[in-house]
Amino acid sequence: MILVVEDDPSLRLLCRINLELEGFEVREAASLTEARRALAEKRPLVVFLDVHLGREQSDELLDELRADEIPVVLVTGSADVADYRGRATEVLGKPYSPDALVAAAKRLAVG
């Protein structure tokens, strides 16, 4: 299962559709609360995590996921991409192509 944590409903939909077309099971979360609920139910193979979830920052969840050795693709539209290299498994800057999304999932979703 791939978990997509994104507060923008249209981007979540775009991610889900593109990943499902490649055969991945996808779970969506719009907030940190929803993400933690999904994580408690099933361990994902990889998490696509937006840096800014409305007023929430995803830094704490990022650290938790990395401590649990879950691959994280951090997704950001702000200029802080360089700040997260090394903290996340990979960083995707917005806007990103569906091909880049799927390629990251294929590289990291082993298990």
Side-chain angles (χ1 to χ4, degrees), residues 2-29 48 75 92-103 105:
I2 294 178
L3 177 60
V4 175
V5 185
E6 168 64 62
D7 62 329
D8 183 323
S10 59
L11 287 177
R12 274 197 323 274
L13 177 65
L14 176 72
C15 290
R16 181 175 54 81
I17 288 172
N18 281 283
L19 292 169
E20 285 179 346
L21 286 171
E22 293 295 323
F24 292 106
E25 174 190 352
V26 179
R27 182 91 186 265
E28 299 177 44
F48 285 86
V75 181
L92 273 181
K94 292 179 184 176
Y96 52 86
S97 72
D99 289 340
L101 174 86
V102 169

Side-chain angles (χ1 to χ4, degrees), residues 34-79:
E34 288 180 18
R36 286 192 169 96
R37 191 175 308 127
L39 290 164
E41 292 174 11
K42 186 173 182 181
R43 180 183 174 91
L45 298 172
V46 64
V47 175
F48 285 86
L49 178 63
D50 190 8
V51 171
H52 305 288
L53 296 165
R55 296 177 189 222
E56 299 177 304
Q57 291 286 89
S58 60
D59 292 288
E60 187 177 311
L61 182 59
L62 170 61
D63 294 338
E64 293 168 15
L65 293 166
R66 298 299 291 151
D68 286 341
E69 299 181 353
I70 297 172
V72 178
V73 178
L74 208 58
V75 181
T76 181
S78 54

